[in-house]
Structure formats: C-alpha cells, structure tokens
Amino acid sequence: MNEIFVNMPTTMAAFVRENEDGSYTIVYNARMDFETLQRAGKHEMGHISRGDLESDAPADLIEERAHRG
C-alpha cells in the first residue's frame, strides 16, 4: 500500500484508490491535523478490508454503511 499527501479542500480528509497492480493508495489531505489523518486512515483501511472499492453501490450508501460500523 502507498500513502501520499496532497493539498485538498478541507471538506475531505482522505480517499483511497486501487492501483493498476491491485495495490491501494491512500491519498491524505496535507492540510489536516495528525489526529484527523489517523481517523481518516482507519476509515480508508475499512473501505479496503470490506471490499468497498469493488462495490457497485453508490458512494453515499457505502459511506453511510461505513459510518454505521
């Protein structure tokens, strides 16, 4: 897995994408504080472990499920 830091709007802490080789990259918002980035990383790892990136469900529904736990 790769992790990179990019300046993004503060409405987004991080997102995950699947790479061509099947690995993943978590893109973190470089403008966020350390604690926010830790929570965001755990959240994105949850998407990976649940297989959310392979889902055909709308992103809103995936996020709702993720936040319900």
Side-chain angles (χ1 to χ4, degrees):
M1 176 170 18
N2 303 300
E3 298 174 300
I4 61 173
F5 293 82
V6 177
N7 286 331
M8 297 187 284
T10 55
T11 55
M12 179 181 290
F15 66 90
V16 62
R17 67 176 189 206
E18 186 171 4
N19 302 315
E20 289 182 15
D21 65 359
S23 66
Y24 297 94
T25 297
I26 297 178
V27 180
Y28 293 98
N29 189 342
R31 296 178 176 172
M32 297 293 182
D33 63 76
F34 180 74
E35 290 176 356
T36 299
L37 294 176
Q38 280 188 309
R39 284 192 306 273
K42 289 179 184 178
H43 177 85
E44 299 307 326
M45 290 295 292
H47 285 306
I48 294 168
S49 67
R50 284 189 304 275
D52 289 345
L53 278 75
E54 289 79 34
S55 174
D56 291 331
D60 294 356
L61 181 59
I62 291 171
E63 285 300 318
E64 181 182 323
R65 290 177 187 162
H67 289 279
R68 276 190 292 182

